[in-house]
């Protein structure tokens, strides 16, 4: 096995023995490990959290219950649920110094960057900072889940020149979240819808953000680092940023009669239409179906029928031309817009929901850890000769 | 392919069709993709950056030159190096509001958490925040590399109740770094040693932190998010925390005559001895050899011969009992201690060095991107029946 000498000349070579190795860009077909958290049946378009179908949880459960389920593996007893709700409620506030940091940020900043920074800062103020027991990790995880809505709501209101609204301990996680963002306490209908949205997106297998959390914690780092990595991954338009781009597209279309032409033009120009297709779901995304029902209801109730009409035409064109179904980003965008959530909060809302899955997956990785580092195939020169700067 | 009904009873099942899939915990044998940045020949114990052997770079190069090489793929001309040095020098300062954040942290915090938070915060103040061109990404990457020493030095001195020392624009990257930490301008000998340490650890294939950066940016997120994820991964004792634990162990041993017994006891109790073995290097880690020479020289020069004696006995015992060679963490710890670097700065020093590789790998991932998300094999119940809370 001889190494080729290149003497600083250009020219690409594979290393001996590596010519034929199989590459796995994106790790698309690679199984990392076992999980007991969620199961996606891509062929049948089904999703389960801890064995419960997403439809049954969306119908019956609350976000707090799902947080418990994802972390502990079973639905909570009345007492367990009471305790969890109590913890989440009492952890909503930010420490004063963290609030000061939040207020010091430039107003034009994107919310997800603020969220990433504040979660990172919260680690420094966590009372269990140096306790790495499983119990402490669960406490830290719940603090993160409890505080994300507060961070989002505060940064939104500061940016919008509105006074911040402190958490209301009488309200549920989702009702308080809505209240801190909008300043209005939601009626039961809005609360239930908002809660359902949080349930629907709280976990989804080894998506890019949860995988980033696993990679980070696989060095035996801490749960804050894991969630910070996940938030960073969520920032990307291929992951958490997609629903923002969906609603911007729908608003750009503006009128139902323009929708078909708009999409055809995009397709002809080989541009990406956001909100369609999924690497895992070969048929339909079950969450998209639930969101479609919610979007239909809320667009009707809030006078956004035109938005719904446009959405449906876009879906028809994509089905006809590309045989693609809408994914979770598509109708979640229409829904979130219809219930009055500011567009710039779409990705942070996703973060608030998914935080439950990040925490559960981080804990699972910690329980059964191997440091995650794949190989890369080197494809370049070797043994180039170092030349002094004046000889280059 | 029928889905098994579990009706909320315990009992673990694999999903149909997944019983026989191969799992890759840690992705140990999985090749992600091609790279042109570094090559590790684990069998021969060799490491190359962009085709140049680590020995030739440690001997001839400076950290600034290696930064250019890793990012651009070739050694810089005199003009290119001048420009790069100028940029790095002028980007050392932190914006006032970020400095204020840094000063607001509790003193007992670990440096790596501060570094993670401050790099995240810097994104909010980056003048190119919304520019995602390759040129802008390189500018952001250089800002990150330039500022890490400042963040480290400031947080160290604040914690130690010492006044912060502003960057000295007359000094090289490594000399200024040393100066900001210690308050003393280094002589040529210390500067060269410090610079060599930065060169030695600036890149190392798809290690866990660089891989965390790739996963994060693979959603088309930004370079700050990528580096923040990398820092989070580096925080873990299996990755960046290892050299801290080496020096703590050597200090615990205390006397050369205790060393053999101490290690034997650890081995008999099946405890991990930090600083030995490497997943990739089957023989020796070439960086460990260079660090060993540096450690020997500096332990002699600074009267730490006893530390070196202990180190060598530990190596002998590990070679005899386990056939393991020291890895980069082992002698880098001895070296860093001997030149007077505070132990709590070991991991942040590693971050300062490795930031060059993180930036280069993030840019390479951006140039040839596929979103990274592997599969997980579900191993649990399915179609559990949702039961109302009082029936549980």
């Amino acid at each position: 096995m001889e190494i080729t000498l290149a003497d600083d000349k250009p020219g690409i070579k594979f290393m001996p023995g590596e010519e034929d190795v199989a590459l796995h860009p994106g790790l698309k077909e690679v199984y990392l490990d076992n999980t007991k958290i969620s199961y996606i049946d891509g062929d049948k378009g089904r999703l389960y959290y801890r064995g419960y179908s997403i439809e049954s949880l969306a119908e019956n459960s609350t976000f707090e219950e799902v947080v418990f389920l994802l972390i502990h593996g079973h639905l909570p007893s009345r007492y367990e649920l009471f305790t969890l709700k109590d913890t989440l409620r009492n952890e909503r506030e930010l420490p004063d110094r963290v609030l000061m940091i939040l207020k010091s940020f430039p107003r034009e900043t994107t919310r997800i960057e603020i969220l990433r920074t504040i979660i990172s800062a919260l680690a420094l103020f966590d009372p269990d900072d140096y306790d790495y027991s499983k119990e402490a990790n669960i406490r830290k995880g719940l603090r993160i889940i409890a505080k994300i809505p507060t961070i989002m709501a505060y940064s939104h209101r500061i940016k919008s020149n509105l006074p911040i609204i402190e958490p209301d301990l009488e309200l549920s996680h989702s009702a308080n979240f809505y209240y801190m963002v909008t300043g209005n306490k939601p009626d039961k209908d809005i609360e239930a819808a908002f809660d359902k949205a949080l349930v629907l997106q709280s976990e989804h297998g080894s998506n890019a953000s949860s995988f980033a959390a696993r990679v980070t914690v696989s060095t035996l780092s801490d749960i804050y680092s894991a969630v910070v990595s996940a938030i960073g991954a969520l920032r990307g338009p291929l992951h958490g940023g997609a629903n923002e781009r969906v609603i911007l597209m729908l608003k750009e279309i503006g009128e139902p009669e323009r929708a078909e032409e708009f999409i055809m033009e995009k397709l002809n120009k080989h541009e990406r239409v956001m909100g369609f297709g999924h690497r895992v779901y070969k048929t339909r995304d079950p969450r998209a179906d639930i969101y479609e029902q919610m979007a239909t209801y809320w667009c009707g109730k809030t006078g956004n029928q035109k938005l719904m009409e446009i959405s449906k035409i876009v879906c028809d064109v994509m089905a006809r031309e590309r045989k693609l179904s809408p994914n979770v980003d598509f109708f979640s965008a229409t829904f979130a817009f219809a219930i009055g959530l500011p567009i710039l909060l779409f990705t942070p809302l996703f973060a608030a929901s998914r935080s439950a899955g990040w925490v559960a997956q981080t804990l699972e990785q910690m329980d059964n850890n191997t440091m995650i580092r794949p190989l890369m195939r080197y494809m370049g020169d070797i043994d180039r000769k170092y030349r002094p700067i004046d000889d280059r």
Side-chain angles (χ1 to χ4, degrees), chain A:
Chain A
M1 215 162 94
E2 207 43 57
I3 283 172
T4 323
L5 283 173
D7 193 12
D8 209 14
K9 288 193 202 73
I12 296 304
K13 298 160 201 68
F14 297 121
M15 286 308 96
E18 291 197 332
E19 300 89 342
D20 298 328
V21 301
L23 299 183
H24 302 278
L27 301 174
K28 282 185 194 183
E29 311 292 335
V30 175
Y31 281 83
L32 179 72
D33 211 332
N34 290 319
T35 183
K36 295 179 187 170
I37 298 176
S38 64
Y39 175 59
I40 302 167
D41 184 338
D43 293 327
K44 295 191 181 163
R46 305 210 65 186
L47 168 64
Y48 301 86
Y49 296 170
R50 298 281 189 185
Y52 294 96
S53 75
I54 189 65
E55 291 83 1
S56 72
L57 293 171
E59 182 67 28
N60 299 301
S61 222
T62 61
F63 180 66
E64 287 95 329
E65 201 172 66
V66 166
V67 167
F68 187 96
L69 174 67
L70 288 171
I71 292 177
H72 296 281
H74 62 273
L75 288 170
S77 68
R78 200 171 275 287
Y79 175 73
E80 287 169 330
L81 185 59
F82 174 84
T83 311
L84 181 106
K85 282 174 132 170
D86 203 49
T87 305
L88 285 180
R89 198 164 32 227
N90 289 314
E91 293 287 354
R92 286 176 189 160
E93 272 295 0
L94 304 180
D96 285 346
R97 279 193 282 180
V98 174
L99 184 56
M100 198 185 78
I101 294 171
L102 182 58
K103 287 180 175 169
S104 76
F105 291 145
R107 297 213 167 183
E108 63 280 10
T109 309
T110 58
R111 308 301 194 292
I112 199 77
E113 291 187 321
I114 293 178
L115 183 62
R116 185 189 63 210
T117 308
I118 294 296
I119 295 290
S120 181
L122 280 168
L124 313 182
F125 297 91
D126 194 293
D128 292 311
D129 195 17
Y130 289 95
D131 185 344
Y132 300 110
S133 66
K134 182 159 185 178
E135 295 66 36
N137 288 327
I138 292 176
R139 287 197 296 274
K140 291 178 203 176
L142 292 177
R143 285 185 195 119
I144 291 170
I145 294 169
K147 285 177 168 59
I148 289 181
T150 314
I151 300 165
M152 279 178 52
Y154 283 9
S155 61
H156 170 65
R157 293 187 66 92
I158 291 168
K159 176 158 173 168
S160 311
N161 265 319
L162 296 165
I164 61 171
I165 296 172
E166 295 193 357
D168 182 334
L169 300 191
E170 301 298 310
L171 299 177
S172 73
H173 188 80
S174 52
N176 173 64
F177 188 1
Y178 185 90
Y179 165 64
M180 288 191 299
V181 169
T182 63
N184 306 313
K185 294 189 184 173
D187 61 27
K188 283 288 156 204
D189 212 14
I190 293 183
E191 179 180 352
F194 208 72
D195 201 61
K196 201 178 281 196
L198 292 182
V199 167
L200 284 173
Q201 295 193 254
S202 50
E203 162 61 22
H204 205 247
S206 57
N207 53 82
S209 57
S210 300
F211 182 56
R214 283 186 187 266
V215 171
T216 295
V217 85
S218 80
T219 65
L220 301 184
S221 187
D222 70 317
I223 194 165
Y224 281 96
S225 293
V227 172
V228 166
S229 293
I231 295 170
L234 195 74
R235 186 181 186 282
L238 291 188
H239 189 15
N243 56 5
E244 275 180 37
R245 290 169 64 174
V246 167
I247 201 72
L248 294 175
M249 179 184 77
L250 295 175
K251 292 184 65 155
E252 192 186 340
I253 294 174
E255 297 293 333
E257 41 277 16
R258 283 195 58 213
E260 173 151 8
E261 192 191 330
F262 183 96
I263 298 298
M264 289 305 293
E265 208 177 300
K266 263 197 176 303
L267 293 177
N268 290 335
K269 284 195 275 178
H270 301 285
E271 287 175 13
R272 195 188 174 101
V273 178
M274 297 307 285
F276 287 87
H278 196 278
R279 195 192 279 183
V280 180
Y281 293 111
K282 302 306 172 201
T283 50
R284 63 191 190 97
D285 181 334
R287 301 165 302 169
D289 292 351
I290 303 173
Y291 264 126
E292 181 173 358
Q293 291 167 20
M294 290 162 71
T296 307
Y297 175 80
W298 282 96
C299 282
K301 185 157 173 168
T302 58
N304 282 296
Q305 286 90 345
K306 200 190 267 183
L307 182 71
M308 198 63 204
E309 269 182 72
I310 296 171
S311 304
K312 290 201 160 157
I313 297 168
V314 171
C315 287
D316 290 345
V317 177
M318 290 300 289
R320 188 186 73 209
E321 297 293 325
R322 291 289 184 272
K323 300 205 187 334
L324 286 178
S325 307
N327 59 34
V328 70
D329 297 315
F330 191 79
F331 282 111
S332 73
T334 316
F335 160 73
F337 185 81
I339 66 161
L341 199 75
I343 294 172
L344 288 171
L345 282 176
F346 283 16
T347 305
L349 172 71
F350 188 180
S353 172
R354 185 57 55 84
S355 61
W358 294 335
V359 168
Q361 292 207 36
T362 301
L363 293 168
E364 187 178 68
Q365 182 69 33
M366 286 171 162
D367 271 348
N368 172 33
N369 187 58
T370 309
M371 186 160 71
I372 303 174
R373 56 167 300 182
L375 299 168
M376 304 285 290
R377 179 172 69 173
Y378 184 67
M379 198 185 108
D381 296 318
I382 206 75
D383 272 336
R384 291 166 87 177
K385 199 173 148 230
Y386 187 92
R387 289 192 297 207
I389 197 157
D390 288 323
D391 288 359
R392 285 172 201 161

